[in-house]
Amino acid sequence: MLTFLHISDTHISADPAFDPPGIPASLPHPKAAAERLLAAIERLPFEIEFILHTGDVCADPIEQDYHCARELLSRLSKPVYLLPGNHDSAQLMADILHDGEGLQVLGDAQVQLGSGQLLTLDTNGEGDEHAPMLRDEQIDWFAQSLESDGAGPVIVAVHHPLIETGVPWIDQQMRVQNGERIQQILRRHHEKVAGVFHGHIHQATVTASEGIVYISCPSTWSNLAGYPSLSEPEADLHTAAGFNLVMVRETRAFVRRYSLPLVAP
């Protein structure tokens, strides 16, 4: 049995004047949003085993942002597994965030987690950073890792979505363009895969395909809309920032979304 939190796209910035284009002025600064996240986690009335962060930890790949992220995330009392997103520098994450205990930065990795396994892929592959292509050697490694005889259910984690959603701007501009190759591998081992967890699209979604469930969580800072015929991203002010609680029992995953308050408690 595993109980963990899934967070993503914190976009932490050390710049108090951080104000990227296209972000509604009503949203809090991402550092303030991260503070609200920490407060919400501290108030949870149950125990978790770890926290999974599926990328875009920081707003920009600069040292100041990662030092700010380290100061914030190191307050968490449970281990945090961090994947690099397209806004991140994997090298700076490894140099500044990774301590091998409380904060662990993962690329293509296989981690035993008590009664289960965490299998991660760094989806920042080749081509467009928003819609990349995985390398052949990554796909081969993933297949070999999933075929290995590890204990317990497998939790797969990536930053970018792997398969089509039906939302044009996500499928064309935000998805791993050869992600179906990973889906083919997952399909062969669906009996031991509890779910595939990802971020990048700044919204809470569930996609089921051939026995595999793909789950994203809302950004802790800003969220985007997703519906049929939407060809360009647009802000979604109706979806609150938040995170997911995940309970894996055997190979079943129960997911509940938690929303963060719009103002600090």
Tab-separated table of all heavy atoms in Angstrom, residues 18-78:
chain	number	residue	atom	x	y	z
A	18	PHE	N	8.332	38.900	-10.640
A	18	PHE	CA	8.017	37.902	-11.663
A	18	PHE	C	6.584	38.086	-12.158
A	18	PHE	O	5.631	38.028	-11.392
A	18	PHE	CB	8.193	36.505	-11.073
A	18	PHE	CG	7.872	35.382	-12.023
A	18	PHE	CD1	8.692	35.109	-13.093
A	18	PHE	CD2	6.745	34.593	-11.823
A	18	PHE	CE1	8.401	34.066	-13.968
A	18	PHE	CE2	6.439	33.552	-12.687
A	18	PHE	CZ	7.267	33.290	-13.769
A	19	ASP	N	6.434	38.341	-13.460
A	19	ASP	CA	5.115	38.636	-14.026
A	19	ASP	C	5.118	38.243	-15.495
A	19	ASP	O	5.156	39.096	-16.374
A	19	ASP	CB	4.789	40.118	-13.860
A	19	ASP	CG	3.383	40.458	-14.328
A	19	ASP	OD1	2.525	39.566	-14.356
A	19	ASP	OD2	3.161	41.635	-14.693
A	20	PRO	N	5.058	36.940	-15.791
A	20	PRO	CA	5.142	36.495	-17.180
A	20	PRO	C	3.893	36.876	-17.970
A	20	PRO	O	2.811	37.025	-17.398
A	20	PRO	CB	5.274	34.977	-17.056
A	20	PRO	CG	4.621	34.656	-15.759
A	20	PRO	CD	4.908	35.818	-14.861
A	21	PRO	N	4.019	37.036	-19.279
A	21	PRO	CA	2.849	37.398	-20.088
A	21	PRO	C	1.817	36.270	-20.110
A	21	PRO	O	2.156	35.099	-20.019
A	21	PRO	CB	3.451	37.619	-21.487
A	21	PRO	CG	4.735	36.845	-21.485
A	21	PRO	CD	5.251	36.936	-20.086
A	22	GLY	N	0.560	36.678	-20.210
A	22	GLY	CA	-0.519	35.703	-20.313
A	22	GLY	C	-1.021	35.160	-18.995
A	22	GLY	O	-1.963	34.364	-18.966
A	23	ILE	N	-0.404	35.562	-17.884
A	23	ILE	CA	-0.838	35.096	-16.563
A	23	ILE	C	-1.758	36.145	-15.943
A	23	ILE	O	-1.384	37.310	-15.814
A	23	ILE	CB	0.368	34.842	-15.645
A	23	ILE	CG1	1.286	33.785	-16.256
A	23	ILE	CG2	-0.085	34.418	-14.267
A	23	ILE	CD1	0.645	32.432	-16.464
A	24	PRO	N	-2.972	35.774	-15.560
A	24	PRO	CA	-3.901	36.753	-14.985
A	24	PRO	C	-3.324	37.448	-13.759
A	24	PRO	O	-2.676	36.820	-12.918
A	24	PRO	CB	-5.119	35.896	-14.611
A	24	PRO	CG	-5.042	34.711	-15.522
A	24	PRO	CD	-3.582	34.437	-15.695
A	25	ALA	N	-3.566	38.740	-13.680
A	25	ALA	CA	-3.029	39.533	-12.570
A	25	ALA	C	-3.607	39.109	-11.234
A	25	ALA	O	-3.019	39.391	-10.182
A	25	ALA	CB	-3.313	41.015	-12.818
A	26	SER	N	-4.739	38.430	-11.230
A	26	SER	CA	-5.376	38.030	-9.977
A	26	SER	C	-4.666	36.866	-9.297
A	26	SER	O	-4.926	36.587	-8.116
A	26	SER	CB	-6.836	37.642	-10.235
A	26	SER	OG	-6.910	36.559	-11.156
A	27	LEU	N	-3.775	36.186	-10.004
A	27	LEU	CA	-3.104	35.031	-9.422
A	27	LEU	C	-1.989	35.469	-8.477
A	27	LEU	O	-1.340	36.502	-8.697
A	27	LEU	CB	-2.511	34.150	-10.520
A	27	LEU	CG	-3.505	33.412	-11.412
A	27	LEU	CD1	-2.765	32.584	-12.439
A	27	LEU	CD2	-4.429	32.529	-10.584
A	28	PRO	N	-1.720	34.691	-7.440
A	28	PRO	CA	-0.619	35.028	-6.536
A	28	PRO	C	0.723	34.788	-7.204
A	28	PRO	O	0.824	34.086	-8.223
A	28	PRO	CB	-0.829	34.068	-5.360
A	28	PRO	CG	-1.503	32.886	-5.978
A	28	PRO	CD	-2.409	33.445	-7.036
A	29	HIS	N	1.745	35.366	-6.638
A	29	HIS	CA	3.113	35.056	-7.065
A	29	HIS	C	3.355	33.566	-6.829
A	29	HIS	O	2.859	33.001	-5.846
A	29	HIS	CB	4.085	35.898	-6.233
A	29	HIS	CG	5.502	35.838	-6.696
A	29	HIS	ND1	6.339	34.785	-6.365
A	29	HIS	CD2	6.234	36.692	-7.461
A	29	HIS	CE1	7.527	35.004	-6.894
A	29	HIS	NE2	7.492	36.141	-7.568
A	30	PRO	N	4.102	32.882	-7.714
A	30	PRO	CA	4.293	31.436	-7.512
A	30	PRO	C	4.975	31.069	-6.197
A	30	PRO	O	4.721	29.995	-5.652
A	30	PRO	CB	5.129	31.008	-8.727
A	30	PRO	CG	5.672	32.262	-9.308
A	30	PRO	CD	4.713	33.340	-8.985
A	31	LYS	N	5.794	31.957	-5.645
A	31	LYS	CA	6.382	31.666	-4.339
A	31	LYS	C	5.303	31.684	-3.260
A	31	LYS	O	5.279	30.813	-2.374
A	31	LYS	CB	7.484	32.668	-3.997
A	31	LYS	CG	8.172	32.361	-2.675
A	31	LYS	CD	9.263	33.359	-2.351
A	31	LYS	CE	9.906	33.036	-1.001
A	31	LYS	NZ	10.934	34.040	-0.630
A	32	ALA	N	4.390	32.658	-3.346
A	32	ALA	CA	3.273	32.711	-2.385
A	32	ALA	C	2.389	31.485	-2.547
A	32	ALA	O	1.895	30.921	-1.563
A	32	ALA	CB	2.471	33.988	-2.587
A	33	ALA	N	2.183	31.047	-3.803
A	33	ALA	CA	1.385	29.847	-4.036
A	33	ALA	C	2.056	28.621	-3.425
A	33	ALA	O	1.392	27.747	-2.859
A	33	ALA	CB	1.176	29.653	-5.539
A	34	ALA	N	3.388	28.558	-3.518
A	34	ALA	CA	4.114	27.437	-2.913
A	34	ALA	C	3.999	27.466	-1.390
A	34	ALA	O	3.906	26.419	-0.741
A	34	ALA	CB	5.578	27.468	-3.340
A	35	GLU	N	4.003	28.644	-0.813
A	35	GLU	CA	3.813	28.762	0.638
A	35	GLU	C	2.438	28.221	1.041
A	35	GLU	O	2.308	27.533	2.066
A	35	GLU	CB	3.937	30.225	1.062
A	35	GLU	CG	5.314	30.838	0.866
A	35	GLU	CD	6.240	30.596	2.044
A	35	GLU	OE1	5.871	29.831	2.953
A	35	GLU	OE2	7.339	31.191	2.049
A	36	ARG	N	1.424	28.490	0.245
A	36	ARG	CA	0.085	27.981	0.529
A	36	ARG	C	0.042	26.469	0.394
A	36	ARG	O	-0.653	25.779	1.149
A	36	ARG	CB	-0.930	28.631	-0.410
A	36	ARG	CG	-1.080	30.123	-0.145
A	36	ARG	CD	-1.940	30.806	-1.179
A	36	ARG	NE	-1.789	32.262	-1.066
A	36	ARG	CZ	-2.381	33.135	-1.851
A	36	ARG	NH1	-3.195	32.703	-2.802
A	36	ARG	NH2	-2.194	34.434	-1.686
A	37	LEU	N	0.784	25.948	-0.571
A	37	LEU	CA	0.883	24.500	-0.725
A	37	LEU	C	1.473	23.863	0.523
A	37	LEU	O	0.946	22.873	1.049
A	37	LEU	CB	1.738	24.165	-1.944
A	37	LEU	CG	2.149	22.691	-2.100
A	37	LEU	CD1	0.937	21.840	-2.429
A	37	LEU	CD2	3.228	22.553	-3.160
A	38	LEU	N	2.578	24.411	1.009
A	38	LEU	CA	3.219	23.861	2.200
A	38	LEU	C	2.279	23.902	3.398
A	38	LEU	O	2.207	22.945	4.178
A	38	LEU	CB	4.505	24.641	2.508
A	38	LEU	CG	5.610	24.583	1.456
A	38	LEU	CD1	6.797	25.427	1.894
A	38	LEU	CD2	6.040	23.168	1.166
A	39	ALA	N	1.552	25.006	3.541
A	39	ALA	CA	0.614	25.124	4.657
A	39	ALA	C	-0.507	24.095	4.542
A	39	ALA	O	-0.920	23.492	5.541
A	39	ALA	CB	0.036	26.537	4.709
A	40	ALA	N	-0.990	23.863	3.320
A	40	ALA	CA	-2.064	22.888	3.115
A	40	ALA	C	-1.587	21.472	3.427
A	40	ALA	O	-2.319	20.675	4.030
A	40	ALA	CB	-2.575	22.972	1.684
A	41	ILE	N	-0.368	21.155	3.023
A	41	ILE	CA	0.176	19.827	3.308
A	41	ILE	C	0.339	19.618	4.810
A	41	ILE	O	0.039	18.555	5.344
A	41	ILE	CB	1.510	19.626	2.557
A	41	ILE	CG1	1.267	19.581	1.042
A	41	ILE	CG2	2.220	18.355	3.026
A	41	ILE	CD1	2.526	19.523	0.209
A	42	GLU	N	0.792	20.658	5.489
A	42	GLU	CA	0.991	20.558	6.936
A	42	GLU	C	-0.320	20.309	7.666
A	42	GLU	O	-0.347	19.652	8.712
A	42	GLU	CB	1.637	21.847	7.453
A	42	GLU	CG	2.005	21.804	8.913
A	42	GLU	CD	2.720	23.068	9.372
A	42	GLU	OE1	3.129	23.873	8.516
A	42	GLU	OE2	2.854	23.242	10.599
A	43	ARG	N	-1.450	20.783	7.108
A	43	ARG	CA	-2.747	20.639	7.775
A	43	ARG	C	-3.453	19.324	7.446
A	43	ARG	O	-4.519	19.062	7.999
A	43	ARG	CB	-3.670	21.798	7.375
A	43	ARG	CG	-3.235	23.168	7.873
A	43	ARG	CD	-4.366	24.179	7.722
A	43	ARG	NE	-4.847	24.262	6.340
A	43	ARG	CZ	-4.339	25.069	5.412
A	43	ARG	NH1	-3.324	25.871	5.721
A	43	ARG	NH2	-4.846	25.098	4.197
A	44	LEU	N	-2.885	18.506	6.575
A	44	LEU	CA	-3.568	17.276	6.189
A	44	LEU	C	-3.778	16.374	7.405
A	44	LEU	O	-2.856	16.171	8.199
A	44	LEU	CB	-2.760	16.528	5.122
A	44	LEU	CG	-2.699	17.177	3.743
A	44	LEU	CD1	-1.748	16.408	2.832
A	44	LEU	CD2	-4.082	17.281	3.116
A	45	PRO	N	-4.965	15.788	7.543
A	45	PRO	CA	-5.260	14.978	8.733
A	45	PRO	C	-4.893	13.508	8.584
A	45	PRO	O	-5.458	12.657	9.262
A	45	PRO	CB	-6.783	15.147	8.859
A	45	PRO	CG	-7.249	15.254	7.443
A	45	PRO	CD	-6.157	16.011	6.714
A	46	PHE	N	-3.949	13.202	7.707
A	46	PHE	CA	-3.545	11.814	7.482
A	46	PHE	C	-2.065	11.791	7.114
A	46	PHE	O	-1.467	12.818	6.781
A	46	PHE	CB	-4.386	11.165	6.368
A	46	PHE	CG	-4.445	11.982	5.101
A	46	PHE	CD1	-3.424	11.937	4.166
A	46	PHE	CD2	-5.541	12.805	4.858
A	46	PHE	CE1	-3.480	12.698	3.007
A	46	PHE	CE2	-5.601	13.573	3.708
A	46	PHE	CZ	-4.573	13.517	2.779
A	47	GLU	N	-1.484	10.604	7.173
A	47	GLU	CA	-0.074	10.432	6.877
A	47	GLU	C	0.130	10.072	5.408
A	47	GLU	O	-0.686	9.357	4.810
A	47	GLU	CB	0.524	9.325	7.750
A	47	GLU	CG	0.717	9.726	9.200
A	47	GLU	CD	1.764	10.814	9.367
A	47	GLU	OE1	2.835	10.717	8.723
A	47	GLU	OE2	1.503	11.764	10.119
A	48	ILE	N	1.196	10.577	4.847
A	48	ILE	CA	1.616	10.190	3.503
A	48	ILE	C	3.028	9.641	3.590
A	48	ILE	O	3.741	9.848	4.581
A	48	ILE	CB	1.568	11.381	2.524
A	48	ILE	CG1	2.509	12.505	3.013
A	48	ILE	CG2	0.151	11.870	2.348
A	48	ILE	CD1	2.709	13.613	2.009
A	49	GLU	N	3.438	8.932	2.535
A	49	GLU	CA	4.778	8.346	2.529
A	49	GLU	C	5.790	9.195	1.774
A	49	GLU	O	6.975	9.204	2.106
A	49	GLU	CB	4.711	6.937	1.942
A	49	GLU	CG	3.935	5.973	2.845
A	49	GLU	CD	3.559	4.702	2.138
A	49	GLU	OE1	4.457	3.919	1.795
A	49	GLU	OE2	2.347	4.476	1.932
A	50	PHE	N	5.346	9.877	0.727
A	50	PHE	CA	6.257	10.724	-0.039
A	50	PHE	C	5.451	11.695	-0.880
A	50	PHE	O	4.205	11.621	-0.942
A	50	PHE	CB	7.186	9.886	-0.928
A	50	PHE	CG	6.491	9.067	-1.986
A	50	PHE	CD1	6.276	9.566	-3.269
A	50	PHE	CD2	6.052	7.788	-1.708
A	50	PHE	CE1	5.644	8.817	-4.235
A	50	PHE	CE2	5.416	7.019	-2.674
A	50	PHE	CZ	5.204	7.537	-3.942
A	51	ILE	N	6.146	12.607	-1.529
A	51	ILE	CA	5.538	13.588	-2.431
A	51	ILE	C	6.220	13.450	-3.787
A	51	ILE	O	7.450	13.423	-3.874
A	51	ILE	CB	5.692	15.019	-1.886
A	51	ILE	CG1	4.958	15.154	-0.541
A	51	ILE	CG2	5.152	16.049	-2.885
A	51	ILE	CD1	5.322	16.402	0.234
A	52	LEU	N	5.419	13.366	-4.836
A	52	LEU	CA	5.920	13.256	-6.203
A	52	LEU	C	5.680	14.576	-6.921
A	52	LEU	O	4.542	15.022	-7.043
A	52	LEU	CB	5.189	12.118	-6.925
A	52	LEU	CG	5.485	11.943	-8.418
A	52	LEU	CD1	6.943	11.566	-8.647
A	52	LEU	CD2	4.551	10.901	-9.029
A	53	HIS	N	6.756	15.199	-7.394
A	53	HIS	CA	6.670	16.473	-8.133
A	53	HIS	C	7.028	16.178	-9.588
A	53	HIS	O	8.157	15.816	-9.896
A	53	HIS	CB	7.650	17.486	-7.539
A	53	HIS	CG	7.451	18.903	-8.022
A	53	HIS	ND1	7.255	19.220	-9.349
A	53	HIS	CD2	7.436	20.080	-7.346
A	53	HIS	CE1	7.122	20.543	-9.466
A	53	HIS	NE2	7.209	21.073	-8.268
A	54	THR	N	6.045	16.351	-10.497
A	54	THR	CA	6.276	15.963	-11.885
A	54	THR	C	6.733	17.111	-12.782
A	54	THR	O	6.422	17.162	-13.959
A	54	THR	CB	5.022	15.287	-12.481
A	54	THR	OG1	3.869	16.107	-12.270
A	54	THR	CG2	4.799	13.911	-11.878
A	55	GLY	N	7.536	18.006	-12.231
A	55	GLY	CA	8.282	18.918	-13.074
A	55	GLY	C	7.805	20.346	-13.149
A	55	GLY	O	6.730	20.705	-12.688
A	56	ASP	N	8.659	21.180	-13.797
A	56	ASP	CA	8.552	22.628	-13.758
A	56	ASP	C	8.557	23.086	-12.313
A	56	ASP	O	7.656	23.782	-11.838
A	56	ASP	CB	7.328	23.138	-14.522
A	56	ASP	CG	7.558	23.155	-16.029
A	56	ASP	OD1	8.681	22.839	-16.470
A	56	ASP	OD2	6.624	23.476	-16.777
A	57	VAL	N	9.614	22.677	-11.635
A	57	VAL	CA	9.798	23.075	-10.241
A	57	VAL	C	9.966	24.581	-10.160
A	57	VAL	O	9.386	25.251	-9.308
A	57	VAL	CB	11.012	22.358	-9.631
A	57	VAL	CG1	11.255	22.830	-8.197
A	57	VAL	CG2	10.831	20.847	-9.676
A	58	CYS	N	10.787	25.128	-11.074
A	58	CYS	CA	11.093	26.553	-11.050
A	58	CYS	C	10.612	27.247	-12.319
A	58	CYS	O	10.385	26.612	-13.355
A	58	CYS	CB	12.595	26.773	-10.881
A	58	CYS	SG	13.181	26.359	-9.216
A	59	ALA	N	10.471	28.556	-12.213
A	59	ALA	CA	10.002	29.347	-13.349
A	59	ALA	C	11.053	29.448	-14.439
A	59	ALA	O	10.742	29.401	-15.631
A	59	ALA	CB	9.603	30.741	-12.870
A	60	ASP	N	12.317	29.592	-14.025
A	60	ASP	CA	13.411	29.758	-14.975
A	60	ASP	C	14.597	28.907	-14.527
A	60	ASP	O	14.795	28.690	-13.328
A	60	ASP	CB	13.837	31.228	-15.052
A	60	ASP	CG	12.740	32.119	-15.625
A	60	ASP	OD1	12.340	31.877	-16.787
A	60	ASP	OD2	12.287	33.035	-14.929
A	61	PRO	N	15.420	28.458	-15.468
A	61	PRO	CA	16.585	27.634	-15.117
A	61	PRO	C	17.752	28.479	-14.633
A	61	PRO	O	18.816	28.543	-15.260
A	61	PRO	CB	16.895	26.906	-16.434
A	61	PRO	CG	16.458	27.865	-17.495
A	61	PRO	CD	15.261	28.566	-16.936
A	62	ILE	N	17.556	29.159	-13.495
A	62	ILE	CA	18.588	30.016	-12.927
A	62	ILE	C	18.808	29.642	-11.461
A	62	ILE	O	17.896	29.163	-10.793
A	62	ILE	CB	18.226	31.515	-13.052
A	62	ILE	CG1	16.863	31.808	-12.413
A	62	ILE	CG2	18.214	31.947	-14.515
A	62	ILE	CD1	16.476	33.276	-12.429
A	63	GLU	N	20.026	29.879	-10.979
A	63	GLU	CA	20.406	29.425	-9.640
A	63	GLU	C	19.506	30.004	-8.557
A	63	GLU	O	19.137	29.304	-7.612
A	63	GLU	CB	21.865	29.785	-9.363
A	63	GLU	CG	22.859	28.987	-10.186
A	63	GLU	CD	24.290	29.233	-9.735
A	63	GLU	OE1	24.484	29.847	-8.658
A	63	GLU	OE2	25.203	28.823	-10.464
A	64	GLN	N	19.161	31.297	-8.664
A	64	GLN	CA	18.372	31.930	-7.607
A	64	GLN	C	17.044	31.208	-7.387
A	64	GLN	O	16.591	31.039	-6.243
A	64	GLN	CB	18.104	33.403	-7.952
A	64	GLN	CG	19.356	34.242	-8.135
A	64	GLN	CD	19.747	34.355	-9.593
A	64	GLN	OE1	19.989	33.342	-10.252
A	64	GLN	NE2	19.812	35.585	-10.086
A	65	ASP	N	16.420	30.798	-8.482
A	65	ASP	CA	15.131	30.121	-8.346
A	65	ASP	C	15.279	28.777	-7.635
A	65	ASP	O	14.415	28.394	-6.823
A	65	ASP	CB	14.502	29.907	-9.723
A	65	ASP	CG	13.892	31.185	-10.290
A	65	ASP	OD1	14.044	32.251	-9.657
A	65	ASP	OD2	13.276	31.121	-11.373
A	66	TYR	N	16.374	28.052	-7.900
A	66	TYR	CA	16.540	26.742	-7.268
A	66	TYR	C	16.923	26.862	-5.795
A	66	TYR	O	16.529	26.020	-4.991
A	66	TYR	CB	17.550	25.895	-8.047
A	66	TYR	CG	16.942	25.445	-9.359
A	66	TYR	CD1	17.265	26.088	-10.542
A	66	TYR	CD2	15.979	24.442	-9.389
A	66	TYR	CE1	16.668	25.726	-11.734
A	66	TYR	CE2	15.376	24.073	-10.573
A	66	TYR	CZ	15.723	24.718	-11.741
A	66	TYR	OH	15.111	24.356	-12.913
A	67	HIS	N	17.648	27.898	-5.450
A	67	HIS	CA	17.910	28.124	-4.027
A	67	HIS	C	16.616	28.468	-3.291
A	67	HIS	O	16.397	28.021	-2.152
A	67	HIS	CB	18.948	29.236	-3.848
A	67	HIS	CG	20.349	28.809	-4.167
A	67	HIS	ND1	21.020	27.867	-3.411
A	67	HIS	CD2	21.197	29.180	-5.163
A	67	HIS	CE1	22.235	27.682	-3.911
A	67	HIS	NE2	22.362	28.452	-4.976
A	68	CYS	N	15.752	29.240	-3.946
A	68	CYS	CA	14.446	29.564	-3.365
A	68	CYS	C	13.608	28.293	-3.223
A	68	CYS	O	12.987	28.057	-2.181
A	68	CYS	CB	13.742	30.589	-4.249
A	68	CYS	SG	12.125	31.118	-3.639
A	69	ALA	N	13.620	27.447	-4.265
A	69	ALA	CA	12.861	26.199	-4.215
A	69	ALA	C	13.384	25.280	-3.122
A	69	ALA	O	12.600	24.628	-2.420
A	69	ALA	CB	12.924	25.500	-5.573
A	70	ARG	N	14.696	25.227	-2.958
A	70	ARG	CA	15.266	24.367	-1.916
A	70	ARG	C	14.817	24.832	-0.533
A	70	ARG	O	14.462	24.013	0.323
A	70	ARG	CB	16.790	24.353	-2.004
A	70	ARG	CG	17.429	23.434	-0.968
A	70	ARG	CD	18.940	23.495	-1.035
A	70	ARG	NE	19.526	22.670	0.008
A	70	ARG	CZ	19.872	21.398	-0.126
A	70	ARG	NH1	19.685	20.784	-1.286
A	70	ARG	NH2	20.396	20.719	0.872
A	71	GLU	N	14.832	26.147	-0.310
A	71	GLU	CA	14.420	26.669	0.999
A	71	GLU	C	12.978	26.289	1.294
A	71	GLU	O	12.638	25.913	2.419
A	71	GLU	CB	14.588	28.187	1.013
A	71	GLU	CG	14.411	28.831	2.386
A	71	GLU	CD	12.948	29.047	2.754
A	71	GLU	OE1	12.156	29.392	1.842
A	71	GLU	OE2	12.585	28.850	3.945
A	72	LEU	N	12.125	26.327	0.287
A	72	LEU	CA	10.716	26.005	0.484
A	72	LEU	C	10.503	24.499	0.646
A	72	LEU	O	9.894	24.040	1.617
A	72	LEU	CB	9.899	26.515	-0.704
A	72	LEU	CG	9.734	28.035	-0.826
A	72	LEU	CD1	9.216	28.400	-2.212
A	72	LEU	CD2	8.790	28.559	0.244
A	73	LEU	N	11.003	23.720	-0.306
A	73	LEU	CA	10.704	22.288	-0.326
A	73	LEU	C	11.377	21.522	0.803
A	73	LEU	O	10.891	20.466	1.213
A	73	LEU	CB	11.112	21.705	-1.677
A	73	LEU	CG	10.345	22.256	-2.889
A	73	LEU	CD1	10.915	21.700	-4.175
A	73	LEU	CD2	8.858	21.953	-2.777
A	74	SER	N	12.489	22.042	1.309
A	74	SER	CA	13.171	21.349	2.401
A	74	SER	C	12.381	21.433	3.710
A	74	SER	O	12.703	20.737	4.672
A	74	SER	CB	14.576	21.925	2.601
A	74	SER	OG	14.521	23.295	2.946
A	75	ARG	N	11.332	22.245	3.764
A	75	ARG	CA	10.486	22.305	4.955
A	75	ARG	C	9.573	21.082	5.066
A	75	ARG	O	9.021	20.803	6.137
A	75	ARG	CB	9.609	23.562	4.926
A	75	ARG	CG	10.357	24.883	4.908
A	75	ARG	CD	9.349	26.015	4.931
A	75	ARG	NE	9.895	27.245	4.403
A	75	ARG	CZ	9.149	28.329	4.144
A	75	ARG	NH1	7.855	28.299	4.392
A	75	ARG	NH2	9.704	29.412	3.647
A	76	LEU	N	9.384	20.383	3.956
A	76	LEU	CA	8.495	19.225	3.957
A	76	LEU	C	9.124	18.091	4.745
A	76	LEU	O	10.319	17.822	4.628
A	76	LEU	CB	8.201	18.785	2.524
A	76	LEU	CG	7.380	19.789	1.706
A	76	LEU	CD1	7.435	19.458	0.228
A	76	LEU	CD2	5.931	19.817	2.205
A	77	SER	N	8.313	17.400	5.524
A	77	SER	CA	8.831	16.368	6.420
A	77	SER	C	8.921	14.999	5.750
A	77	SER	O	9.489	14.076	6.336
A	77	SER	CB	7.941	16.261	7.663
A	77	SER	OG	6.611	15.915	7.301
A	78	LYS	N	8.372	14.857	4.540
A	78	LYS	CA	8.409	13.589	3.826
A	78	LYS	C	9.333	13.701	2.615
A	78	LYS	O	9.554	14.799	2.097
A	78	LYS	CB	7.002	13.192	3.370
A	78	LYS	CG	6.013	13.007	4.512
A	78	LYS	CD	6.427	11.854	5.431
A	78	LYS	CE	5.398	11.642	6.539
A	78	LYS	NZ	5.765	10.521	7.438
